[in-house]
Amino acid sequence: MPRKLLYREALNEAIREEMRRDERVFILGQGIAARGGSYGVTRSLLEEFGPGRVIDTPIAEASITGLAVGAAIQGKRPIVEIMSIDFSTLAMDMMVNQAAKYPFITGGQGKVPMVLRTQGGADHGLSIQHSQSFEAFFYHVPGLKVVMPSTPYDAKGLLKTAIRDDSPVVFIEHKLLYETEGEVPEGEYTIPLGEAALRREGADCTVLSYSLMSLKSMQAAEILAGEGISCDVLDLRTLVPLDRKAILDSVKKTGRLVVVNEAVKRGSVASDIAAFAAEEAFDYLKAPILRVSGKITPIPYNAALEQACVPSVGEIVNAVKKVMES
Amino acid sequence: MPRKLLYREALNEAIREEMRRDERVFILGQGIAARGGSYGVTRSLLEEFGPGRVIDTPIAEASITGLAVGAAIQGKRPIVEIMSIDFSTLAMDMMVNQAAKYPFITGGQGKVPMVLRTQGGADHGLSIQHSQSFEAFFYHVPGLKVVMPSTPYDAKGLLKTAIRDDSPVVFIEHKLLYETEGEVPEGEYTIPLGEAALRREGADCTVLSYSLMSLKSMQAAEILAGEGISCDVLDLRTLVPLDRKAILDSVKKTGRLVVVNEAVKRGSVASDIAAFAAEEAFDYLKAPILRVSGKITPIPYNAALEQACVPSVGEIVNAVKKVMES
Amino acid sequence: MFLPDKELLISMYRKMRLIRRFEETGMEMHKLGLIRGYFHSYIGEEAVAVGACSALRRDDYIVSTHRGHGHCIAKGADIKRMMAELFGKASGYSMGRGGSMHISDRVTGNIGANGIVGGGIPLAVGVGMGIKLEQSDRVAVCFFGDGASNNGVFGESLNLAAIYRLPVIFMLENNCYAATTHVRETSTCTDLSERGGGYGVAGKNIFGNDPVEVCRTVLEAAEKARNGEGPSLIEAKTYRQYGHHVRDKGTYMPPQELEIWKSRDPLILIARSLEDAGIDTSEIQEIDREIERDMKNAVAYAKYSQEPSVEEFLREIQIYE
Amino acid sequence: MFLPDKELLISMYRKMRLIRRFEETGMEMHKLGLIRGYFHSYIGEEAVAVGACSALRRDDYIVSTHRGHGHCIAKGADIKRMMAELFGKASGYSMGRGGSMHISDRVTGNIGANGIVGGGIPLAVGVGMGIKLEQSDRVAVCFFGDGASNNGVFGESLNLAAIYRLPVIFMLENNCYAATTHVRETSTCTDLSERGGGYGVAGKNIFGNDPVEVCRTVLEAAEKARNGEGPSLIEAKTYRQYGHHVRDKGTYMPPQELEIWKSRDPLILIARSLEDAGIDTSEIQEIDREIERDMKNAVAYAKYSQEPSVEEFLREIQIYE
Ligand SMILES: Cc1ncc(C[n+]2csc(CCOP(=O)(O)OP(=O)(O)O)c2C)c(N)n1
Ligand SMILES: Cc1ncc(C[n+]2csc(CCOP(=O)(O)OP(=O)(O)O)c2C)c(N)n1
Ligand SMILES: [Mg+2]
Ligand SMILES: [Mg+2]
């Protein structure tokens, strides 16, 4: 029977394996050592690797991120954990103006092999400043790679690759995925950045998403299948580099595209992918490209309001049905 | 003869008039008092309003922005100048998690009538960390308004409106516009946020842009007119709120859309507008929606490289010609 | 020297007790599933908020934190609307949109709590600038934690307040922990108040579990601020008697440490002061009974208040389009 | 006590003089339109970079600023490639992509300049962490200005370096100005080195125009760092003898202030030290002549180097897709 792990366990294993493999890898963040991180991802790493390589930090998001950048330039392979992507606003300068730019500044000589691990997404009533989805910020910045896995298997394989990558990688987890389970083989494996996964094949419409929304898209596709509509469900897995070929292949095949993400619709990655398709696959399109995204609002606390802001399976189903009418 | 002013003079007049009109208005930033700002926008305000309302600050972008947020909550109408939008990365938390959220947190009771004035864009070899276009960051954040005027007339009228607005407004100038001249009437006027300006009417294609790129789009339209292609040139002026109606009206009329902006193409405002059109005007489109945007790279120093990264008039012309072929 | 009168002692006791009971009740409600999200209890730290706010006028401002219920109550917030907010109800301070980490109250000058650690510090400086521009003699008290003092905005903001001589009192609540991290691990200095000097803000260290000492210190700082003599930094040493939030059991907190601090629990100390001042136990019991009644009412109010309407919400957020 | 030998004095003179001439030449080239963008001259501050780097080993690191030419040269950069970078040429340190504010040099351990004021400070802490992980005895010197010390990362980073005991020397170049703003206006303290104490980093104040004093202080700090005793903060008082950048005339700088500082120009002071040490003027004149020749060569190299190819550039940036 294939082994199953939780998403957080898969991440833990990835970090552990890479720390064993390469002594230049170290990890720092708030409460990641003895406590094992807010979501348990770094549990018992301290015991194995000691306080020199598993480092608790003060609340100083800008400078701990900058520390990672500096250490990466110096030749280490740091992983910095920002507890919540909402707080990455404090580290923006270090990511945007330092990490992303350094290889360019040095004509490619200087590498910045660091990973910024963080988590986003709405739930549990964490509300306004603990529920946001900010991948669009990083997506817009040349020099950063952006990874958003949806399964334990991908989480492990992509994090290992991210740690080995010579560019700064923003690795964004989702708070609702940590306790999800999935198959993760025992042996060593990695997944290259920039390859989308076709989760389900269909002929009528492409449903494109990533992170938690991939799971919801699969549920929607299941429902739609029951109504005779078959979907390609494409999980991007990495946003930068973007698997343009997979997107175009699917859209050219189905002629219809629904892009789903949890982030606020305006200025989202979904918008960018829709624009890309409208530019590159226009002649194949049979219907408007619809985006199913988070509402344009801060995320509220009340459970019903909170849920109203996040794309639902029903909304995805409706969007697909709508494009099927064209 | 109608009066002409430089863009920076128009901005100066807007600030001066609003400071005269409302004693709650004050301005702070680095070198904005005696020095009059890096681009001369705040010249001689110190003399008229004194150091209590025209305030030089240390290099502390996060906290001077936070100061503005706090003072706005308390009932003032601060204008904070961030010398270069590249440095707004340091103030992201204050804009994204504080300014944008406060009215929501208080159920609309708490207002944040502040303006963050800054400037972006590439030229003069200012290179990697002084040339960027970051409007997409702010555009993605519900609760912020975003204004990017291209003419002295708009600069004045929109800045006055921004100062009077009860929401936080990010007002983005362009370093190449400060010394451009245009008509600015003597009397008091304001321009509402959320109204695009149709700079030129045509039937074949809509060229949509804002800030400096509006000027380049007009030049492109002129060239295209000489070749028998007539364009609607739409200058958005404000990005949030977005004049969706003007966009749709034009695109439905011409059936073709080219979106131009200077920012890096991936994840840009241009992408979002293209996605919007692909969603809402699909049935009217005769051709792919093309984006003419900044190259996906940090901005280099060398003059030829720098210019290669910024959209040129020629690229706009070519994009329009390309969609005309469809 | 400042000596509190009976009235002040009683009013401080009342507020401290109310905070204690509010937190206990809230934690219970959280366990029952009636409150969601993060709930950071102020138990053990009541003397800081109450001592500080007792030194303030109603028209003075405070800026609060994620651990903000105590600040709200100390400044005079309505516990019914607070509890309603925790229940996510339309009658709550944020119409159910914010929850525990986002309560603000215009009426009592509470600029609001903050989910970003350190996020309120620059805002307090702005409030101080607003006051200065009005040339009024109000002050702003900025509450923040030991953890927040490691966020860069702390140093930036102290410096701004100093150079502009703003009427801001930086009230550092050193409760020994930032989440699960002991303050020893995030600073090599014993006293965080030492961080003020280099920015031109005189720092002071006080025992934060004695509301009288806190009140006295803030009164002095406020007088200075009202006289245009600028900001102060006060480090109040106190202790978080529970885990970081409701679901954190605080297993990393050494039992002896907890015991020592429980032996100087602020409610024990204020009770002793009441006794010393010759205040009758029956009077205190009466206050306790009133508080129980008020708490019950608050919970009932929260329970029976309406949920916010999703439709209305979706209509209202169109302003963000 | 540390006493510099002749060789050290001469080598310091050579570097200081080279920096001076590099800056003078660069400003000239800027006025001729051969250099674009910002050009921040280090004239008047040469003793800080040269004094500090003379205390370092070649395998030690430095982190630089927007006013970084002096740091480059002091650590041993090749002025030909520096000038080529300023000319935007393919042979420049950043292949013409960065210009004045972005020169770095792996060979000499120069992590690089920075267009973000304060941006390098956390990076230096990271370099220090990298050294610590290697358990080597290298050190990192982090140069930054008085203005940068108001950026929040300053306090954050000092604290990080202190708690992890990192081998980082924070070298605050107080040249009296941050752009057009006098340090008096941005700090109420006379000594910015006072900011260290609260973060657990001992601060020291020195006269920054005397390279011997700078070298001695950095040697001590480096020894401490190499012994695992952690970071230091050194404030070097110096003066920016020109406007903020080439096009800033510096009209706001009081003439008396400038005069006082010109009377203690670091090049005058080192020349005096050379004299005191009995070094022959002919030897010095020979050095000056060599520098002139090297400068000429550097300009020629820059001039005749190739422009970077736009096509190649556009091909290369595809890695960002
Ligand atoms: C910028 C930021 N980083 C991290 C967090 C997560 N977090 C919430 S409370 C907390 C601890 C805060 O410690 P302190 O400032 O001492 O306040 P206390 O909780 O002790 O009252 C942390 C790390 C956050 N909310 N914001
Ligand atoms: C974060 C940031 N804010 C503002 C600027 C604009 N700026 C460039 S240099 C400078 C002054 C820096 O002063 P200081 O740190 O004292 O260094 P100095 O120029 O005196 O060497 C300013 C404000 C910047 N580059 N980065
Ligand atoms: Mg604490
Ligand atoms: Mg300076």
Side-chain angles (χ1 to χ4, degrees):
Chain A
M1 223 188 54
R3 184 177 69 143
K4 290 205 167 186
L5 287 184
L6 300 178
Y7 188 86
R8 66 168 165 78
E9 291 169 338
L11 291 165
N12 179 279
E13 207 169 77
I15 299 167
R16 188 181 304 274
E17 287 178 12
E18 293 307 303
M19 287 185 75
R20 282 182 188 157
R21 182 177 172 271
D22 185 343
E23 61 175 20
R24 295 171 303 173
V25 180
F26 69 99
I27 183 162
L28 74 164
Q30 292 157 27
I32 60 133
R35 183 190 184 194
S38 295
Y39 294 92
V41 171
T42 55
R43 260 179 219 161
S44 79
L45 294 176
L46 176 67
E47 284 77 345
E48 180 165 352
F49 303 102
R53 291 175 69 200
V54 183
I55 304 169
D56 269 340
T57 71
I59 301 167
E61 278 77 6
S63 291
I64 64 170
T65 304
L67 188 161
V69 180
I73 292 171
Q74 196 269 347
K76 302 298 166 289
R77 295 192 164 268
I79 306 167
V80 58
E81 176 177 312
I82 299 293
M83 210 182 263
S84 187
I85 199 167
D86 308 70
F87 318 151
S88 70
T89 48
L90 290 156
M92 282 300 276
D93 191 65
M94 287 297 139
M95 292 308 291
V96 172
N97 284 324
Q98 308 299 334
K101 303 300 193 282
Y102 196 76
F104 184 83
I105 286 168
T106 58
Q109 295 285 301
K111 310 219 179 306
V112 186
M114 67 176 282
V115 178
L116 183 145
R117 272 189 53 239
T118 187
Q119 60 81 27
D123 208 66
H124 308 309
L126 301 189
S127 97
I128 301 165
Q129 294 161 335
H130 288 72
S131 305
Q132 299 172 90
S133 296
F134 283 160
E135 65 272 17
F137 291 162
F138 303 106
Y139 182 79
H140 188 47
V141 179
L144 301 178
K145 295 183 176 171
V146 183
V147 181
M148 292 187 78
S150 71
T151 69
Y153 179 85
D154 287 355
K156 180 174 176 187
L158 288 166
L159 183 52
K160 284 170 70 85
T161 309
I163 293 169
R164 295 183 198 180
D165 199 285
D166 279 341
S167 304
V169 178
V170 180
F171 193 94
I172 307 174
E173 302 154 15
H174 194 292
K175 54 172 72 61
L176 286 181
L177 290 174
Y178 287 119
E179 301 294 326
T180 59
E181 207 180 42
E183 284 181 23
V184 179
E186 295 276 353
E188 158 89 16
Y189 71 96
T190 58
I191 301 172
L193 305 189
E195 288 189 7
L198 192 59
R199 298 287 181 204
R200 181 183 178 117
E201 281 198 69
D204 300 322
C205 181
T206 301
V207 180
L208 193 153
S209 61
Y210 53 88
S211 189
L212 180 69
M213 289 301 134
S214 284
L215 275 57
K216 289 202 181 179
S217 297
M218 287 298 281
Q219 290 169 33
E222 190 61 36
I223 292 170
L224 288 160
E227 307 188 21
I229 301 171
S230 81
C231 295
D232 255 15
V233 179
L234 199 60
D235 181 349
L236 287 178
R237 308 199 293 185
T238 28
L239 305 184
V240 182
L242 184 65
D243 192 344
R244 292 149 167 266
K245 186 172 172 309
I247 298 171
L248 291 182
D249 285 352
S250 177
V251 173
K252 287 180 181 175
K253 178 179 75 174
T254 64
R256 294 186 183 85
L257 176 59
V258 171
V259 193
V260 188
N261 75 2
E262 182 172 336
V264 160
K265 184 174 190 173
R266 183 174 62 223
S268 62
V269 173
S271 295
D272 194 67
I273 291 165
F276 165 67
E279 199 165 69
E280 306 266 334
F282 181 78
D283 295 336
Y284 298 84
L285 288 175
K286 302 174 193 156
I289 301 168
L290 296 192
R291 290 164 292 164
V292 180
S293 297
K295 297 283 182 298
I296 303 180
T297 172
I299 311 284
Y301 167 69
N302 173 280
L305 300 189
E306 179 188 63
Q307 287 316 306
C309 294
V310 177
S312 65
V313 174
E315 283 175 275
I316 303 171
V317 168
N318 289 340
V320 173
K321 285 187 183 165
K322 198 163 162 200
V323 296
M324 288 309 295
E325 284 162 18
S326 297
Chain B
M1 221 185 62
R3 184 177 69 142
K4 290 205 167 187
L5 287 183
L6 299 178
Y7 188 85
R8 66 169 164 77
E9 291 168 337
L11 291 165
N12 179 278
E13 207 169 79
I15 299 168
R16 188 182 304 274
E17 286 178 11
E18 293 306 303
M19 287 185 76
R20 282 181 188 159
R21 181 176 172 272
D22 185 344
E23 63 174 19
R24 295 170 304 176
V25 179
F26 70 99
I27 183 161
L28 74 165
Q30 291 156 26
I32 60 131
R35 182 189 185 194
S38 295
Y39 293 93
V41 171
T42 56
R43 259 178 220 163
S44 79
L45 294 176
L46 176 67
E47 284 76 347
E48 180 166 351
F49 302 104
R53 291 174 70 199
V54 182
I55 304 169
D56 270 341
T57 71
I59 301 168
E61 279 77 6
S63 290
I64 64 171
T65 304
L67 188 161
V69 180
I73 291 172
Q74 195 268 347
K76 302 298 166 289
R77 294 190 165 270
I79 306 167
V80 58
E81 176 175 313
I82 300 292
M83 210 182 264
S84 187
I85 199 167
D86 308 70
F87 318 150
S88 71
T89 48
L90 290 156
M92 282 301 275
D93 191 65
M94 287 296 139
M95 292 310 289
V96 172
N97 283 325
Q98 308 299 334
K101 303 299 193 284
Y102 195 77
F104 184 83
I105 287 169
T106 57
Q109 295 284 301
K111 311 220 179 306
V112 186
M114 67 175 282
V115 177
L116 183 145
R117 272 190 52 240
T118 187
Q119 60 80 27
D123 207 64
H124 307 309
L126 301 189
S127 96
I128 301 165
Q129 294 161 336
H130 288 71
S131 305
Q132 300 172 89
S133 296
F134 283 161
E135 65 272 17
F137 291 162
F138 302 106
Y139 182 80
H140 188 47
V141 179
L144 301 178
K145 295 182 177 172
V146 183
V147 180
M148 292 187 77
S150 70
T151 69
Y153 178 85
D154 287 355
K156 179 174 175 187
L158 288 166
L159 183 51
K160 285 170 69 84
T161 308
I163 293 169
R164 295 184 199 180
D165 199 286
D166 280 340
S167 303
V169 178
V170 180
F171 193 95
I172 307 173
E173 302 153 15
H174 194 291
K175 55 173 70 63
L176 286 181
L177 289 174
Y178 287 120
E179 302 293 325
T180 59
E181 205 180 44
E183 284 182 22
V184 178
E186 294 276 353
E188 158 88 17
Y189 70 96
T190 59
I191 300 171
L193 306 188
E195 288 189 7
L198 192 59
R199 299 286 181 205
R200 180 182 178 118
E201 280 197 69
D204 300 322
C205 180
T206 300
V207 180
L208 193 154
S209 61
Y210 52 88
S211 190
L212 180 70
M213 289 302 134
S214 284
L215 275 57
K216 291 203 181 176
S217 297
M218 286 297 283
Q219 290 169 33
E222 190 62 37
I223 293 170
L224 288 159
E227 308 188 21
I229 300 172
S230 82
C231 295
D232 255 13
V233 179
L234 198 60
D235 181 350
L236 287 177
R237 308 200 292 185
T238 29
L239 305 184
V240 182
L242 184 66
D243 192 343
R244 292 152 166 264
K245 187 174 172 307
I247 299 172
L248 290 181
D249 285 352
S250 177
V251 173
K252 287 180 181 175
K253 180 181 74 175
T254 64
R256 294 186 183 84
L257 176 60
V258 171
V259 194
V260 188
N261 75 4
E262 181 172 337
V264 159
K265 184 174 190 175
R266 183 173 62 220
S268 63
V269 173
S271 297
D272 193 68
I273 290 165
F276 165 67
E279 198 165 69
E280 306 264 334
F282 181 78
D283 294 337
Y284 298 84
L285 288 174
K286 302 173 194 157
I289 302 168
L290 296 192
R291 291 164 291 163
V292 180
S293 296
K295 297 282 183 296
I296 303 180
T297 172
I299 311 284
Y301 166 70
N302 173 281
L305 301 188
E306 179 188 64
Q307 286 316 304
C309 295
V310 176
S312 66
V313 174
E315 283 175 275
I316 303 170
V317 168
N318 288 340
V320 173
K321 285 187 185 164
K322 194 162 167 202
V323 297
M324 289 309 296
E325 284 164 18
S326 296
Chain C
M1 214 196 83
F2 164 76
L3 274 174
D5 57 18
K6 279 191 192 184
E7 209 181 327
L8 178 59
L9 283 176
I10 290 175
S11 112
M12 292 205 291
Y13 173 77
R14 181 189 293 275
K15 280 188 171 158
M16 288 169 62
R17 173 86 194 169
L18 184 57
I19 294 171
R20 175 70 51 102
R21 291 297 298 127
F22 186 89
E23 298 297 54
E24 286 170 351
T25 310
M27 291 201 286
E28 226 173 276
M29 297 297 131
H30 198 287
K31 279 168 197 156
L32 290 174
L34 294 167
I35 296 174
R36 57 202 307 253
Y38 287 125
F39 185 112
H40 305 94
S41 125
Y42 200 63
I43 290 177
E45 311 181 35
E46 295 89 343
V48 184
V50 172
C53 292
S54 299
L56 298 184
R57 303 194 314 228
R58 190 164 172 91
D59 69 342
D60 288 328
Y61 294 97
I62 64 166
V63 171
S64 171
T65 70
H66 60 283
R67 195 177 301 286
H69 310 153
H71 310 139
C72 290
I73 293 175
K75 197 65 174 56
D78 175 357
I79 59 166
K80 291 209 297 295
R81 292 188 60 203
M82 286 176 64
M83 194 57 86
E85 185 57 36
L86 300 187
F87 275 59
K89 297 303 180 72
S91 58
Y93 268 109
S94 309
M95 301 168 64
R97 296 179 180 183
S100 165
M101 285 190 294
H102 299 285
I103 298 178
S104 68
D105 181 15
R106 294 184 80 69
V107 179
T108 59
N110 181 354
I111 297 293
N114 216 308
I116 302 296
V117 172
I121 303 177
L123 271 51
V125 174
V127 172
M129 181 61 87
I131 296 171
K132 188 184 170 197
L133 284 168
E134 285 166 8
Q135 299 182 296
S136 88
D137 67 346
R138 298 201 262 182
V139 304
V141 170
C142 178
F143 294 101
F144 61 102
D146 48 292
S149 77
N150 297 316
N151 182 331
V153 293
F154 166 76
E156 288 186 2
S157 290
L158 253 65
N159 192 44
L160 292 175
I163 60 178
Y164 303 132
R165 289 180 90 80
L166 302 180
V168 181
I169 299 163
F170 295 96
M171 175 57 81
L172 196 166
E173 307 184 301
N174 183 345
N175 62 4
C176 298
Y177 288 92
T180 58
T181 309
H182 198 280
V183 64
R184 253 193 328 266
E185 296 170 51
T186 56
S187 169
T188 58
C189 296
T190 324
D191 297 325
L192 295 170
S193 56
E194 278 181 46
R195 294 187 178 175
Y199 296 107
V201 182
K204 214 173 198 165
N205 247 290
I206 59 171
F207 177 48
N209 282 14
D210 177 2
V212 177
E213 185 169 346
V214 176
C215 182
R216 180 191 309 126
T217 315
V218 174
L219 266 178
E220 281 167 22
E223 195 177 313
K224 194 179 126 189
R226 294 192 210 282
N227 287 336
E229 291 163 46
S232 304
L233 170 64
I234 302 168
E235 179 188 5
K237 309 264 194 193
T238 182
Y239 195 74
R240 194 191 73 193
Q241 289 187 10
Y242 283 79
H244 175 49
H245 52 59
V246 173
R247 277 180 308 260
D248 171 17
K249 302 237 182 310
T251 46
Y252 48 87
M253 296 159 75
Q256 304 100 300
E257 191 186 67
L258 182 60
E259 246 164 66
I260 291 172
W261 281 95
K262 278 206 166 170
S263 73
R264 42 196 188 204
D265 183 303
L267 276 158
I268 296 178
L269 298 184
I270 183 78
R272 215 172 280 158
S273 302
L274 292 178
E275 218 174 286
D276 292 351
I279 291 158
D280 218 53
T281 29
S282 70
E283 199 173 336
I284 298 170
Q285 285 166 350
E286 176 52 28
I287 292 173
D288 290 359
R289 267 192 300 274
E290 280 170 29
I291 287 174
E292 290 316 304
R293 201 190 48 216
D294 291 351
M295 278 313 311
K296 267 216 186 83
N297 286 341
V299 170
Y301 178 82
K303 231 177 222 161
Y304 299 113
S305 281
Q306 285 193 327
E307 294 279 331
S309 144
V310 173
E311 293 69 43
E312 238 171 71
F313 175 78
L314 293 176
R315 222 170 17 249
E316 278 176 30
I317 61 174
Q318 285 174 13
I319 57 164
Y320 295 119
E321 290 278 327
Chain D
M1 215 196 83
F2 163 78
L3 274 175
D5 56 19
K6 278 190 193 186
E7 206 182 328
L8 179 59
L9 283 176
I10 289 175
S11 113
M12 292 205 290
Y13 173 77
R14 180 189 293 275
K15 281 192 171 156
M16 288 169 62
R17 174 88 193 168
L18 183 58
I19 294 171
R20 176 70 51 101
R21 291 296 299 128
F22 185 88
E23 298 297 54
E24 286 170 351
T25 311
M27 292 200 285
E28 226 174 275
M29 297 297 131
H30 199 286
K31 278 168 198 155
L32 291 175
L34 294 167
I35 296 175
R36 56 201 306 254
Y38 288 125
F39 185 111
H40 306 95
S41 126
Y42 200 63
I43 290 178
E45 312 181 34
E46 295 90 343
V48 184
V50 172
C53 293
S54 299
L56 299 183
R57 303 193 314 229
R58 191 165 171 91
D59 70 342
D60 289 327
Y61 295 97
I62 65 166
V63 171
S64 171
T65 71
H66 60 284
R67 195 178 300 287
H69 310 153
H71 310 139
C72 290
I73 293 175
K75 197 68 176 53
D78 174 358
I79 59 165
K80 290 210 297 298
R81 292 189 59 203
M82 285 176 65
M83 194 58 86
E85 184 57 36
L86 300 187
F87 276 59
K89 297 301 180 72
S91 58
Y93 268 110
S94 309
M95 302 166 64
R97 297 177 179 185
S100 164
M101 286 190 293
H102 299 285
I103 298 177
S104 68
D105 181 15
R106 295 183 77 70
V107 179
T108 58
N110 181 355
I111 297 292
N114 216 306
I116 303 296
V117 172
I121 302 177
L123 270 51
V125 173
V127 173
M129 181 62 86
I131 296 171
K132 188 183 168 195
L133 284 167
E134 284 166 8
Q135 300 181 295
S136 89
D137 67 347
R138 299 202 264 180
V139 303
V141 169
C142 177
F143 293 100
F144 61 103
D146 47 292
S149 77
N150 297 314
N151 182 333
V153 294
F154 166 75
E156 288 186 3
S157 290
L158 253 65
N159 192 44
L160 292 175
I163 61 178
Y164 304 132
R165 289 180 90 82
L166 302 179
V168 181
I169 299 164
F170 295 95
M171 176 57 81
L172 196 166
E173 307 184 300
N174 184 347
N175 62 3
C176 299
Y177 288 92
T180 58
T181 308
H182 198 279
V183 65
R184 252 193 329 266
E185 296 170 51
T186 57
S187 169
T188 60
C189 295
T190 323
D191 296 326
L192 294 170
S193 56
E194 279 182 44
R195 293 187 178 174
Y199 297 106
V201 182
K204 214 174 199 163
N205 246 293
I206 58 169
F207 177 49
N209 282 14
D210 176 2
V212 178
E213 185 168 347
V214 176
C215 181
R216 180 191 308 129
T217 315
V218 174
L219 266 178
E220 281 168 21
E223 195 179 315
K224 195 179 126 187
R226 295 192 210 282
N227 288 336
E229 292 163 45
S232 304
L233 170 64
I234 301 168
E235 179 188 6
K237 310 265 193 193
T238 182
Y239 195 74
R240 193 191 75 194
Q241 288 187 11
Y242 283 79
H244 175 49
H245 52 61
V246 172
R247 276 180 308 260
D248 172 16
K249 303 235 182 311
T251 46
Y252 48 87
M253 295 159 75
Q256 304 100 300
E257 192 186 67
L258 181 60
E259 247 165 65
I260 292 172
W261 281 95
K262 279 205 165 169
S263 74
R264 42 196 189 206
D265 183 303
L267 276 158
I268 296 180
L269 299 184
I270 184 79
R272 215 172 280 157
S273 302
L274 293 178
E275 218 173 285
D276 293 351
I279 292 158
D280 217 52
T281 29
S282 70
E283 198 173 336
I284 297 170
Q285 284 164 350
E286 176 54 27
I287 292 172
D288 290 358
R289 267 191 301 274
E290 279 171 30
I291 287 173
E292 290 316 302
R293 199 190 51 217
D294 291 350
M295 277 313 312
K296 264 215 189 86
N297 286 342
V299 170
Y301 179 81
K303 232 179 223 161
Y304 299 111
S305 281
Q306 283 193 328
E307 293 280 329
S309 143
V310 173
E311 294 66 43
E312 238 173 70
F313 176 78
L314 292 176
R315 220 169 21 248
E316 278 176 30
I317 61 173
Q318 284 174 13
I319 57 162
Y320 295 120
E321 291 278 326

